PDB file of all heavy atoms in Angstrom:
ATOM      1  N   GLU J   1       5.728  -4.670   5.215  1.00 97.00           N
ATOM      2  CA  GLU J   1       4.612  -4.658   4.214  1.00 97.00           C
ATOM      3  C   GLU J   1       5.062  -4.164   3.010  1.00 97.00           C
ATOM      4  O   GLU J   1       4.649  -4.645   1.934  1.00 97.00           O
ATOM      5  CB  GLU J   1       3.427  -3.898   4.773  1.00 97.00           C
ATOM      6  CG  GLU J   1       2.163  -3.993   3.934  1.00 97.00           C
ATOM      7  CD  GLU J   1       1.059  -3.094   4.213  1.00 97.00           C
ATOM      8  OE1 GLU J   1       1.399  -2.014   4.803  1.00 97.00           O
ATOM      9  OE2 GLU J   1      -0.026  -3.295   3.749  1.00 97.00           O
ATOM     10  N   SER J   2       5.789  -3.073   2.958  1.00 97.00           N
ATOM     11  CA  SER J   2       6.352  -2.544   1.682  1.00 97.00           C
ATOM     12  C   SER J   2       7.203  -3.541   0.916  1.00 97.00           C
ATOM     13  O   SER J   2       7.054  -3.626  -0.264  1.00 97.00           O
ATOM     14  CB  SER J   2       7.186  -1.294   1.998  1.00 97.00           C
ATOM     15  OG  SER J   2       7.775  -0.678   0.907  1.00 97.00           O
ATOM     16  N   GLN J   3       7.961  -4.308   1.674  1.00 97.00           N
ATOM     17  CA  GLN J   3       8.794  -5.322   0.968  1.00 97.00           C
ATOM     18  C   GLN J   3       7.924  -6.361   0.320  1.00 97.00           C
ATOM     19  O   GLN J   3       8.204  -6.751  -0.762  1.00 97.00           O
ATOM     20  CB  GLN J   3       9.692  -5.931   2.026  1.00 97.00           C
ATOM     21  CG  GLN J   3      10.765  -4.977   2.529  1.00 97.00           C
ATOM     22  CD  GLN J   3      11.616  -5.458   3.723  1.00 97.00           C
ATOM     23  OE1 GLN J   3      11.319  -6.660   4.193  1.00 97.00           O
ATOM     24  NE2 GLN J   3      12.424  -4.755   4.313  1.00 97.00           N
ATOM     25  N   SER J   4       6.829  -6.697   1.070  1.00 98.00           N
ATOM     26  CA  SER J   4       5.977  -7.754   0.507  1.00 98.00           C
ATOM     27  C   SER J   4       5.262  -7.210  -0.669  1.00 98.00           C
ATOM     28  O   SER J   4       5.100  -8.056  -1.666  1.00 98.00           O
ATOM     29  CB  SER J   4       4.905  -8.157   1.648  1.00 98.00           C
ATOM     30  OG  SER J   4       4.048  -9.145   1.165  1.00 98.00           O
ATOM     31  N   LEU J   5       4.794  -6.007  -0.718  1.00 98.00           N
ATOM     32  CA  LEU J   5       4.127  -5.456  -1.872  1.00 98.00           C
ATOM     33  C   LEU J   5       5.119  -5.310  -3.023  1.00 98.00           C
ATOM     34  O   LEU J   5       4.922  -5.499  -4.243  1.00 98.00           O
ATOM     35  CB  LEU J   5       3.531  -4.162  -1.573  1.00 98.00           C
ATOM     36  CG  LEU J   5       2.280  -4.133  -0.535  1.00 98.00           C
ATOM     37  CD1 LEU J   5       1.981  -2.728  -0.116  1.00 98.00           C
ATOM     38  CD2 LEU J   5       1.042  -4.633  -1.447  1.00 98.00           C
ATOM     39  N   THR J   6       6.369  -4.985  -2.723  1.00 98.00           N
ATOM     40  CA  THR J   6       7.491  -4.823  -3.661  1.00 98.00           C
ATOM     41  C   THR J   6       7.768  -6.173  -4.422  1.00 98.00           C
ATOM     42  O   THR J   6       7.831  -6.176  -5.650  1.00 98.00           O
ATOM     43  CB  THR J   6       8.710  -4.209  -3.096  1.00 98.00           C
ATOM     44  OG1 THR J   6       8.434  -2.900  -2.560  1.00 98.00           O
ATOM     45  CG2 THR J   6       9.814  -4.023  -4.076  1.00 98.00           C
ATOM     46  N   SER J   7       7.712  -7.162  -3.611  1.00 98.00           N
ATOM     47  CA  SER J   7       8.046  -8.545  -4.198  1.00 98.00           C
ATOM     48  C   SER J   7       6.791  -9.158  -4.810  1.00 98.00           C
ATOM     49  O   SER J   7       7.028 -10.206  -5.498  1.00 98.00           O
ATOM     50  CB  SER J   7       8.661  -9.404  -3.042  1.00 98.00           C
ATOM     51  OG  SER J   7       7.689  -9.654  -2.137  1.00 98.00           O
ATOM     52  N   ALA J   8       5.652  -8.598  -4.584  1.00 97.00           N
ATOM     53  CA  ALA J   8       4.449  -9.029  -5.115  1.00 97.00           C
ATOM     54  C   ALA J   8       4.020 -10.420  -4.361  1.00 97.00           C
ATOM     55  O   ALA J   8       3.141 -11.160  -4.893  1.00 97.00           O
ATOM     56  CB  ALA J   8       4.444  -9.381  -6.582  1.00 97.00           C
ATOM     57  N   ASP J   9       4.575 -10.605  -3.166  1.00 98.00           N
ATOM     58  CA  ASP J   9       4.093 -11.656  -2.356  1.00 98.00           C
ATOM     59  C   ASP J   9       2.717 -11.368  -1.980  1.00 98.00           C
ATOM     60  O   ASP J   9       1.862 -12.337  -1.769  1.00 98.00           O
ATOM     61  CB  ASP J   9       4.966 -11.865  -1.117  1.00 98.00           C
ATOM     62  CG  ASP J   9       6.341 -12.417  -1.448  1.00 98.00           C
ATOM     63  OD1 ASP J   9       6.399 -13.101  -2.476  1.00 98.00           O
ATOM     64  OD2 ASP J   9       7.369 -12.329  -0.649  1.00 98.00           O
ATOM     65  N   THR J  10       2.426 -10.091  -1.753  1.00 98.00           N
ATOM     66  CA  THR J  10       1.091  -9.587  -1.691  1.00 98.00           C
ATOM     67  C   THR J  10       0.806  -8.525  -2.587  1.00 98.00           C
ATOM     68  O   THR J  10       1.671  -7.820  -3.047  1.00 98.00           O
ATOM     69  CB  THR J  10       0.813  -9.005  -0.217  1.00 98.00           C
ATOM     70  OG1 THR J  10       1.766  -7.973   0.104  1.00 98.00           O
ATOM     71  CG2 THR J  10       0.950 -10.090   0.846  1.00 98.00           C
ATOM     72  N   VAL J  11      -0.447  -8.427  -3.046  1.00 98.00           N
ATOM     73  CA  VAL J  11      -0.825  -7.362  -4.051  1.00 98.00           C
ATOM     74  C   VAL J  11      -1.761  -6.340  -3.526  1.00 98.00           C
ATOM     75  O   VAL J  11      -2.026  -5.359  -4.333  1.00 98.00           O
ATOM     76  CB  VAL J  11      -1.231  -8.100  -5.414  1.00 98.00           C
ATOM     77  CG1 VAL J  11      -0.070  -8.971  -5.923  1.00 98.00           C
ATOM     78  CG2 VAL J  11      -2.432  -8.913  -5.180  1.00 98.00           C
ATOM     79  N   LEU J  12      -2.446  -6.665  -2.497  1.00 98.00           N
ATOM     80  CA  LEU J  12      -3.436  -5.606  -1.999  1.00 98.00           C
ATOM     81  C   LEU J  12      -3.631  -5.769  -0.471  1.00 98.00           C
ATOM     82  O   LEU J  12      -3.348  -6.901   0.062  1.00 98.00           O
ATOM     83  CB  LEU J  12      -4.705  -5.672  -2.720  1.00 98.00           C
ATOM     84  CG  LEU J  12      -5.632  -6.878  -2.605  1.00 98.00           C
ATOM     85  CD1 LEU J  12      -6.582  -6.759  -1.311  1.00 98.00           C
ATOM     86  CD2 LEU J  12      -6.505  -7.061  -3.849  1.00 98.00           C
ATOM     87  N   GLY J  13      -4.041  -4.779   0.160  1.00 98.00           N
ATOM     88  CA  GLY J  13      -4.321  -4.921   1.603  1.00 98.00           C
ATOM     89  C   GLY J  13      -4.554  -3.600   2.193  1.00 98.00           C
ATOM     90  O   GLY J  13      -4.610  -2.531   1.584  1.00 98.00           O
ATOM     91  N   THR J  14      -4.674  -3.687   3.617  1.00 97.00           N
ATOM     92  CA  THR J  14      -4.734  -2.353   4.399  1.00 97.00           C
ATOM     93  C   THR J  14      -3.303  -1.748   4.541  1.00 97.00           C
ATOM     94  O   THR J  14      -2.341  -2.475   4.640  1.00 97.00           O
ATOM     95  CB  THR J  14      -5.299  -2.653   5.759  1.00 97.00           C
ATOM     96  OG1 THR J  14      -4.463  -3.611   6.414  1.00 97.00           O
ATOM     97  CG2 THR J  14      -6.686  -3.090   5.617  1.00 97.00           C
ATOM     98  N   ALA J  15      -3.247  -0.495   4.525  1.00 96.00           N
ATOM     99  CA  ALA J  15      -1.924   0.225   4.574  1.00 96.00           C
ATOM    100  C   ALA J  15      -2.078   1.574   5.172  1.00 96.00           C
ATOM    101  O   ALA J  15      -3.107   2.221   4.999  1.00 96.00           O
ATOM    102  CB  ALA J  15      -1.311   0.159   3.216  1.00 96.00           C
ATOM    103  N   TRP J  16      -0.909   2.064   5.663  1.00 90.00           N
ATOM    104  CA  TRP J  16      -0.833   3.459   5.978  1.00 90.00           C
ATOM    105  C   TRP J  16      -0.303   4.228   4.700  1.00 90.00           C
ATOM    106  O   TRP J  16       0.342   3.549   3.876  1.00 90.00           O
ATOM    107  CB  TRP J  16       0.192   3.658   7.215  1.00 90.00           C
ATOM    108  CG  TRP J  16      -0.291   3.004   8.405  1.00 90.00           C
ATOM    109  CD1 TRP J  16      -1.560   2.842   8.780  1.00 90.00           C
ATOM    110  CD2 TRP J  16       0.559   2.565   9.471  1.00 90.00           C
ATOM    111  NE1 TRP J  16      -1.537   2.187  10.082  1.00 90.00           N
ATOM    112  CE2 TRP J  16      -0.338   2.045  10.481  1.00 90.00           C
ATOM    113  CE3 TRP J  16       1.980   2.509   9.630  1.00 90.00           C
ATOM    114  CZ2 TRP J  16       0.211   1.440  11.651  1.00 90.00           C
ATOM    115  CZ3 TRP J  16       2.404   1.946  10.833  1.00 90.00           C
ATOM    116  CH2 TRP J  16       1.567   1.416  11.801  1.00 90.00           C
ATOM    117  N   GLN J  17      -0.478   5.426   4.669  1.00 85.00           N
ATOM    118  CA  GLN J  17      -0.001   6.222   3.578  1.00 85.00           C
ATOM    119  C   GLN J  17       1.551   6.171   3.417  1.00 85.00           C
ATOM    120  O   GLN J  17       2.105   6.146   2.339  1.00 85.00           O
ATOM    121  CB  GLN J  17      -0.481   7.690   3.617  1.00 85.00           C
ATOM    122  CG  GLN J  17      -0.216   8.435   2.381  1.00 85.00           C
ATOM    123  CD  GLN J  17      -0.961   8.030   1.232  1.00 85.00           C
ATOM    124  OE1 GLN J  17      -2.179   7.850   1.245  1.00 85.00           O
ATOM    125  NE2 GLN J  17      -0.281   7.839   0.049  1.00 85.00           N
ATOM    126  N   VAL J  18       2.255   6.063   4.557  1.00 82.00           N
ATOM    127  CA  VAL J  18       3.625   5.994   4.524  1.00 82.00           C
ATOM    128  C   VAL J  18       4.139   4.757   3.840  1.00 82.00           C
ATOM    129  O   VAL J  18       5.063   4.781   3.060  1.00 82.00           O
ATOM    130  CB  VAL J  18       4.309   6.063   5.953  1.00 82.00           C
ATOM    131  CG1 VAL J  18       3.865   4.857   6.798  1.00 82.00           C
ATOM    132  CG2 VAL J  18       5.811   6.162   5.868  1.00 82.00           C
ATOM    133  N   THR J  19       3.402   3.672   4.031  1.00 91.00           N
ATOM    134  CA  THR J  19       3.648   2.433   3.220  1.00 91.00           C
ATOM    135  C   THR J  19       3.569   2.609   1.784  1.00 91.00           C
ATOM    136  O   THR J  19       4.418   2.177   0.917  1.00 91.00           O
ATOM    137  CB  THR J  19       2.753   1.271   3.587  1.00 91.00           C
ATOM    138  OG1 THR J  19       2.626   1.246   4.978  1.00 91.00           O
ATOM    139  CG2 THR J  19       3.243  -0.034   3.038  1.00 91.00           C
ATOM    140  N   VAL J  20       2.558   3.260   1.319  1.00 92.00           N
ATOM    141  CA  VAL J  20       2.283   3.666  -0.076  1.00 92.00           C
ATOM    142  C   VAL J  20       3.447   4.507  -0.612  1.00 92.00           C
ATOM    143  O   VAL J  20       3.932   4.212  -1.663  1.00 92.00           O
ATOM    144  CB  VAL J  20       0.900   4.302  -0.297  1.00 92.00           C
ATOM    145  CG1 VAL J  20       0.691   4.729  -1.775  1.00 92.00           C
ATOM    146  CG2 VAL J  20      -0.241   3.324   0.236  1.00 92.00           C
ATOM    147  N   ASN J  21       3.718   5.476   0.196  1.00 86.00           N
ATOM    148  CA  ASN J  21       4.804   6.515  -0.244  1.00 86.00           C
ATOM    149  C   ASN J  21       6.134   5.766  -0.413  1.00 86.00           C
ATOM    150  O   ASN J  21       6.847   5.920  -1.401  1.00 86.00           O
ATOM    151  CB  ASN J  21       4.887   7.632   0.717  1.00 86.00           C
ATOM    152  CG  ASN J  21       3.631   8.580   0.816  1.00 86.00           C
ATOM    153  OD1 ASN J  21       2.826   8.403  -0.046  1.00 86.00           O
ATOM    154  ND2 ASN J  21       3.600   9.382   1.793  1.00 86.00           N
ATOM    155  N   VAL J  22       6.472   5.033   0.586  1.00 89.00           N
ATOM    156  CA  VAL J  22       7.835   4.281   0.509  1.00 89.00           C
ATOM    157  C   VAL J  22       7.895   3.362  -0.677  1.00 89.00           C
ATOM    158  O   VAL J  22       8.844   3.220  -1.464  1.00 89.00           O
ATOM    159  CB  VAL J  22       8.104   3.628   1.883  1.00 89.00           C
ATOM    160  CG1 VAL J  22       9.224   2.728   1.744  1.00 89.00           C
ATOM    161  CG2 VAL J  22       8.304   4.574   2.889  1.00 89.00           C
ATOM    162  N   THR J  23       6.772   2.625  -0.757  1.00 95.00           N
ATOM    163  CA  THR J  23       6.796   1.610  -1.937  1.00 95.00           C
ATOM    164  C   THR J  23       6.837   2.210  -3.248  1.00 95.00           C
ATOM    165  O   THR J  23       7.536   1.822  -4.206  1.00 95.00           O
ATOM    166  CB  THR J  23       5.554   0.669  -1.748  1.00 95.00           C
ATOM    167  OG1 THR J  23       5.498   0.256  -0.375  1.00 95.00           O
ATOM    168  CG2 THR J  23       5.589  -0.537  -2.610  1.00 95.00           C
ATOM    169  N   LYS J  24       6.053   3.267  -3.495  1.00 95.00           N
ATOM    170  CA  LYS J  24       6.028   3.880  -4.790  1.00 95.00           C
ATOM    171  C   LYS J  24       7.268   4.549  -5.092  1.00 95.00           C
ATOM    172  O   LYS J  24       7.776   4.653  -6.229  1.00 95.00           O
ATOM    173  CB  LYS J  24       4.883   4.958  -4.753  1.00 95.00           C
ATOM    174  CG  LYS J  24       3.519   4.311  -4.775  1.00 95.00           C
ATOM    175  CD  LYS J  24       2.328   5.396  -4.913  1.00 95.00           C
ATOM    176  CE  LYS J  24       2.463   6.116  -6.290  1.00 95.00           C
ATOM    177  NZ  LYS J  24       1.137   6.986  -6.388  1.00 95.00           N
ATOM    178  N   SER J  25       7.974   5.065  -4.061  1.00 91.00           N
ATOM    179  CA  SER J  25       9.311   5.725  -4.193  1.00 91.00           C
ATOM    180  C   SER J  25      10.365   4.733  -4.844  1.00 91.00           C
ATOM    181  O   SER J  25      11.298   5.173  -5.396  1.00 91.00           O
ATOM    182  CB  SER J  25       9.763   6.375  -2.935  1.00 91.00           C
ATOM    183  OG  SER J  25      10.270   5.356  -2.047  1.00 91.00           O
ATOM    184  N   GLY J  26      10.136   3.376  -4.581  1.00 95.00           N
ATOM    185  CA  GLY J  26      11.011   2.402  -5.151  1.00 95.00           C
ATOM    186  C   GLY J  26      10.554   2.006  -6.590  1.00 95.00           C
ATOM    187  O   GLY J  26      11.157   0.944  -6.939  1.00 95.00           O
ATOM    188  N   GLY J  27       9.582   2.713  -7.108  1.00 97.00           N
ATOM    189  CA  GLY J  27       9.204   2.280  -8.534  1.00 97.00           C
ATOM    190  C   GLY J  27       8.055   1.330  -8.657  1.00 97.00           C
ATOM    191  O   GLY J  27       7.843   0.766  -9.635  1.00 97.00           O
ATOM    192  N   VAL J  28       7.488   0.860  -7.530  1.00 98.00           N
ATOM    193  CA  VAL J  28       6.439  -0.167  -7.559  1.00 98.00           C
ATOM    194  C   VAL J  28       5.079   0.594  -7.886  1.00 98.00           C
ATOM    195  O   VAL J  28       4.814   1.614  -7.322  1.00 98.00           O
ATOM    196  CB  VAL J  28       6.265  -0.837  -6.179  1.00 98.00           C
ATOM    197  CG1 VAL J  28       5.099  -1.826  -6.233  1.00 98.00           C
ATOM    198  CG2 VAL J  28       7.552  -1.506  -5.799  1.00 98.00           C
ATOM    199  N   PRO J  29       4.307   0.023  -8.921  1.00 98.00           N
ATOM    200  CA  PRO J  29       3.127   0.638  -9.236  1.00 98.00           C
ATOM    201  C   PRO J  29       2.017   0.396  -8.247  1.00 98.00           C
ATOM    202  O   PRO J  29       1.472  -0.629  -8.216  1.00 98.00           O
ATOM    203  CB  PRO J  29       2.795  -0.042 -10.580  1.00 98.00           C
ATOM    204  CG  PRO J  29       3.403  -1.391 -10.499  1.00 98.00           C
ATOM    205  CD  PRO J  29       4.726  -1.158  -9.725  1.00 98.00           C
ATOM    206  N   LEU J  30       1.818   1.333  -7.360  1.00 97.00           N
ATOM    207  CA  LEU J  30       0.885   1.221  -6.227  1.00 97.00           C
ATOM    208  C   LEU J  30      -0.053   2.300  -6.119  1.00 97.00           C
ATOM    209  O   LEU J  30       0.423   3.504  -6.355  1.00 97.00           O
ATOM    210  CB  LEU J  30       1.722   1.149  -5.002  1.00 97.00           C
ATOM    211  CG  LEU J  30       1.087   0.372  -3.676  1.00 97.00           C
ATOM    212  CD1 LEU J  30       0.891  -1.083  -3.939  1.00 97.00           C
ATOM    213  CD2 LEU J  30       1.919   0.622  -2.463  1.00 97.00           C
ATOM    214  N   GLU J  31      -1.314   2.048  -5.782  1.00 96.00           N
ATOM    215  CA  GLU J  31      -2.293   3.121  -5.551  1.00 96.00           C
ATOM    216  C   GLU J  31      -3.017   2.793  -4.319  1.00 96.00           C
ATOM    217  O   GLU J  31      -3.001   1.726  -3.735  1.00 96.00           O
ATOM    218  CB  GLU J  31      -3.299   3.366  -6.769  1.00 96.00           C
ATOM    219  CG  GLU J  31      -2.595   3.956  -7.954  1.00 96.00           C
ATOM    220  CD  GLU J  31      -2.061   5.313  -7.782  1.00 96.00           C
ATOM    221  OE1 GLU J  31      -2.516   6.004  -6.891  1.00 96.00           O
ATOM    222  OE2 GLU J  31      -1.114   5.663  -8.491  1.00 96.00           O
ATOM    223  N   SER J  32      -3.817   3.804  -3.776  1.00 95.00           N
ATOM    224  CA  SER J  32      -4.542   3.639  -2.582  1.00 95.00           C
ATOM    225  C   SER J  32      -5.665   4.484  -2.641  1.00 95.00           C
ATOM    226  O   SER J  32      -5.876   5.500  -3.355  1.00 95.00           O
ATOM    227  CB  SER J  32      -3.689   3.935  -1.403  1.00 95.00           C
ATOM    228  OG  SER J  32      -3.286   5.341  -1.424  1.00 95.00           O
ATOM    229  N   ALA J  33      -6.730   4.136  -1.813  1.00 92.00           N
ATOM    230  CA  ALA J  33      -7.925   4.972  -1.682  1.00 92.00           C
ATOM    231  C   ALA J  33      -8.725   4.657  -0.366  1.00 92.00           C
ATOM    232  O   ALA J  33      -8.409   3.609   0.218  1.00 92.00           O
ATOM    233  CB  ALA J  33      -8.867   4.657  -2.839  1.00 92.00           C
ATOM    234  N   VAL J  34      -9.612   5.540   0.005  1.00 92.00           N
ATOM    235  CA  VAL J  34     -10.629   5.228   0.979  1.00 92.00           C
ATOM    236  C   VAL J  34     -11.795   4.744   0.303  1.00 92.00           C
ATOM    237  O   VAL J  34     -12.509   5.223  -0.489  1.00 92.00           O
ATOM    238  CB  VAL J  34     -11.059   6.443   1.756  1.00 92.00           C
ATOM    239  CG1 VAL J  34     -12.135   6.160   2.707  1.00 92.00           C
ATOM    240  CG2 VAL J  34      -9.834   7.055   2.579  1.00 92.00           C
ATOM    241  N   PRO J  35     -12.153   3.409   0.538  1.00 94.00           N
ATOM    242  CA  PRO J  35     -13.173   2.757  -0.174  1.00 94.00           C
ATOM    243  C   PRO J  35     -14.562   3.309   0.152  1.00 94.00           C
ATOM    244  O   PRO J  35     -14.706   4.147   1.029  1.00 94.00           O
ATOM    245  CB  PRO J  35     -13.177   1.323   0.179  1.00 94.00           C
ATOM    246  CG  PRO J  35     -11.681   1.178   0.680  1.00 94.00           C
ATOM    247  CD  PRO J  35     -11.401   2.449   1.334  1.00 94.00           C
ATOM    248  N   SER J  36     -15.647   2.802  -0.536  1.00 93.00           N
ATOM    249  CA  SER J  36     -16.906   3.334  -0.420  1.00 93.00           C
ATOM    250  C   SER J  36     -17.519   3.236   1.056  1.00 93.00           C
ATOM    251  O   SER J  36     -18.383   4.033   1.445  1.00 93.00           O
ATOM    252  CB  SER J  36     -17.882   2.599  -1.388  1.00 93.00           C
ATOM    253  OG  SER J  36     -17.872   1.189  -1.156  1.00 93.00           O
ATOM    254  N   GLU J  37     -17.060   2.205   1.644  1.00 95.00           N
ATOM    255  CA  GLU J  37     -17.637   1.950   3.068  1.00 95.00           C
ATOM    256  C   GLU J  37     -16.971   2.849   4.142  1.00 95.00           C
ATOM    257  O   GLU J  37     -17.397   2.873   5.316  1.00 95.00           O
ATOM    258  CB  GLU J  37     -17.399   0.568   3.613  1.00 95.00           C
ATOM    259  CG  GLU J  37     -18.055  -0.487   2.634  1.00 95.00           C
ATOM    260  CD  GLU J  37     -17.118  -0.961   1.614  1.00 95.00           C
ATOM    261  OE1 GLU J  37     -15.933  -0.354   1.365  1.00 95.00           O
ATOM    262  OE2 GLU J  37     -17.501  -1.978   0.814  1.00 95.00           O
ATOM    263  N   GLY J  38     -15.944   3.771   3.712  1.00 93.00           N
ATOM    264  CA  GLY J  38     -15.220   4.451   4.637  1.00 93.00           C
ATOM    265  C   GLY J  38     -13.961   3.769   5.125  1.00 93.00           C
ATOM    266  O   GLY J  38     -13.600   2.783   4.524  1.00 93.00           O
ATOM    267  N   ALA J  39     -13.410   4.267   6.189  1.00 95.00           N
ATOM    268  CA  ALA J  39     -12.226   3.729   6.696  1.00 95.00           C
ATOM    269  C   ALA J  39     -12.012   4.038   8.090  1.00 95.00           C
ATOM    270  O   ALA J  39     -12.484   4.921   8.722  1.00 95.00           O
ATOM    271  CB  ALA J  39     -10.941   4.143   5.948  1.00 95.00           C
ATOM    272  N   THR J  40     -11.267   3.028   8.767  1.00 96.00           N
ATOM    273  CA  THR J  40     -10.814   3.401  10.083  1.00 96.00           C
ATOM    274  C   THR J  40      -9.558   4.242  10.012  1.00 96.00           C
ATOM    275  O   THR J  40      -9.026   4.575   8.951  1.00 96.00           O
ATOM    276  CB  THR J  40     -10.381   2.065  11.004  1.00 96.00           C
ATOM    277  OG1 THR J  40      -9.418   1.374  10.265  1.00 96.00           O
ATOM    278  CG2 THR J  40     -11.581   1.154  11.178  1.00 96.00           C
ATOM    279  N   GLY J  41      -9.040   4.749  11.068  1.00 93.00           N
ATOM    280  CA  GLY J  41      -7.912   5.665  11.040  1.00 93.00           C
ATOM    281  C   GLY J  41      -7.366   5.988  12.375  1.00 93.00           C
ATOM    282  O   GLY J  41      -7.702   5.335  13.373  1.00 93.00           O
TER     283      GLY J  41
END
């Protein structure tokens, strides 16, 4: 998933925080949040 976000084959989706951390560490401009409806976990 990180690779897909890095290449911009995908630009948004569900993710674990580790995905966000790994992807951002590679310089990809990525953010994350728990939306208004809440989240599974």
Side-chain angles (χ1 to χ4, degrees):
E1 184 191 24
S2 175
Q3 292 169 2
S4 180
L5 289 165
T6 298
S7 65
D9 288 338
T10 56
V11 298
L12 67 86
T14 55
W16 297 333
Q17 188 66 50
V18 65
T19 312
V20 178
N21 293 350
V22 168
T23 309
K24 290 181 70 174
S25 70
V28 179
L30 201 70
E31 289 299 335
S32 62
V34 173
S36 59
E37 299 90 354
T40 60

